[in-house]
Amino acid sequence: MESGGGFILPVNGTEFVGHRWGFDMQLDKSPSEAFSSSFFMILATEMGDETFIIAAVMAMRHPKFTVLGGALSAVYLMTVLSTGLGVVLPNLISQKTVHSCATVLYTFFGLRLMYIGAKGGEDAEEEFEEVENSLKENASKSQKGLVRRFFSRLCTPIFLEALMLTFLAEWGDRSQIATISLAAHQNPLGVIVGACAGHTICTSLAVFSGEWLGKHISHRLVAFVGGGLFLLFAIINFATEHGADTREALSAATGDLIPPIVT
């Protein structure tokens, strides 16, 4: 389709070169529901996580606001990328498959966190020591990569270190996968805003009071709450999926029973 000498992509549900083509952004879905789901999901998964400890340890040795800026930049970027992947998925595979995969992932993460909580959680002091040792090893390297040398001209080394370490820790993390799953069947704008709000709270707590929280908060309680929240997401997602199937079946059955009106 052309308009004014330019080429315009077809909108959702239009005919394009003999094929019906469309890209569903899912913006018609409830943004408030997406916001609350992503917000509480981030709170449940990020509190006491590896990225939380990285921010807390770096804030003990470097200016807190610089560390906060680098870490938040990384999680904001990761949230936008993850949401983008989640929006693309339903346009490549069926919505039913997306819902089923999301339910399986939520169930897996929920059971895994419950298992961690039943084991007694993870030793916070050991985690802090491991992260601190890895940061010392990273700082002791004299050779810098090409990417780091390039970006060090644009921002401070501490900001860059916080950004890169947080981004790498977030890649493949359960919060990233959960964000992709949420964006695949909920309003993406609500997911982005809710996840960014959750990350802001968790990262700020890590920077300004992370050491105290990491060593005094019950990791078993955090694991059980997070696991319960993921299992709740799985139940809601399962009920929503099968409720939609039931409504479609009833609608089809009702349509077959009602004879057409002849005028």
Side-chain angles (χ1 to χ4, degrees):
M1 291 184 295
E2 293 184 0
S3 176
F7 185 79
I8 301 177
L9 287 176
V11 296
N12 189 31
T14 59
E15 294 290 336
F16 181 60
V17 195
H19 300 282
R20 195 169 185 80
W21 186 93
F23 191 90
D24 185 11
M25 291 287 292
Q26 305 192 80
L27 295 177
D28 57 328
K29 297 186 176 179
S30 171
S32 59
E33 180 183 349
F35 175 89
S36 59
S37 298
S38 58
F39 177 76
F40 289 112
M41 179 269 297
I42 292 297
L43 291 183
T45 56
E46 288 299 299
M47 191 68 69
D49 200 12
E50 183 181 0
T51 53
F52 182 94
I53 297 175
I54 288 175
V57 172
M58 288 197 67
M60 298 175 201
R61 302 160 48 208
H62 303 296
K64 296 184 183 298
F65 284 102
T66 305
V67 174
L68 179 65
L72 286 179
S73 298
V75 293
Y76 290 166
L77 175 61
M78 182 63 72
T79 298
V80 173
L81 292 175
S82 301
T83 303
L85 289 173
V87 171
V88 171
L89 279 178
N91 292 279
L92 299 178
I93 57 180
S94 68
Q95 189 70 243
K96 185 176 182 179
T97 303
V98 170
H99 272 278
S100 299
C101 291
T103 302
V104 171
L105 285 173
Y106 295 152
T107 304
F108 170 76
F109 287 139
L111 293 177
R112 184 174 182 275
L113 285 171
M114 288 289 187
Y115 174 73
I116 292 174
K119 283 178 59 180
E122 300 169 348
D123 193 334
E125 292 189 4
E126 288 184 4
E127 288 187 66
F128 269 85
E129 289 178 2
E130 288 177 6
V131 171
E132 192 166 6
N133 290 334
S134 65
L135 289 175
K136 288 179 180 178
E137 291 176 4
N138 186 67
S140 64
K141 295 179 181 179
S142 57
Q143 297 292 332
K144 292 185 177 180
L146 179 61
V147 175
R148 180 168 292 189
R149 286 202 305 268
F150 173 76
F151 282 104
S152 63
R153 299 179 180 179
L154 304 177
C155 51
T156 65
I158 297 171
F159 179 94
L160 182 62
E161 184 180 8
L163 187 150
M164 293 183 67
L165 289 175
T166 304
F167 187 87
L168 292 175
E170 277 291 301
W171 189 263
D173 194 24
R174 59 175 173 259
S175 61
Q176 185 203 19
I177 299 174
T179 301
I180 294 173
S181 301
L182 282 175
H185 61 88
Q186 294 196 14
N187 188 299
L189 297 181
V191 171
I192 290 175
V193 176
C196 287
H199 277 301
T200 302
I201 293 175
C202 288
T203 307
S204 299
L205 287 173
V207 168
F208 295 107
S209 57
E211 184 179 14
W212 186 89
L213 285 173
K215 294 181 178 179
H216 291 83
I217 195 171
S218 172
H219 279 228
R220 294 191 65 181
L221 177 62
V222 172
F224 277 126
V225 171
L229 190 60
F230 270 112
L231 291 177
L232 179 62
F233 285 159
I235 293 171
I236 293 174
N237 203 53
F238 181 82
T240 302
E241 176 188 355
H242 286 269
D245 292 341
T246 303
R247 286 193 297 271
E248 289 180 4
L250 289 174
S251 178
T254 304
D256 293 338
L257 290 174
I258 299 175
I261 301 175
V262 180
T263 58

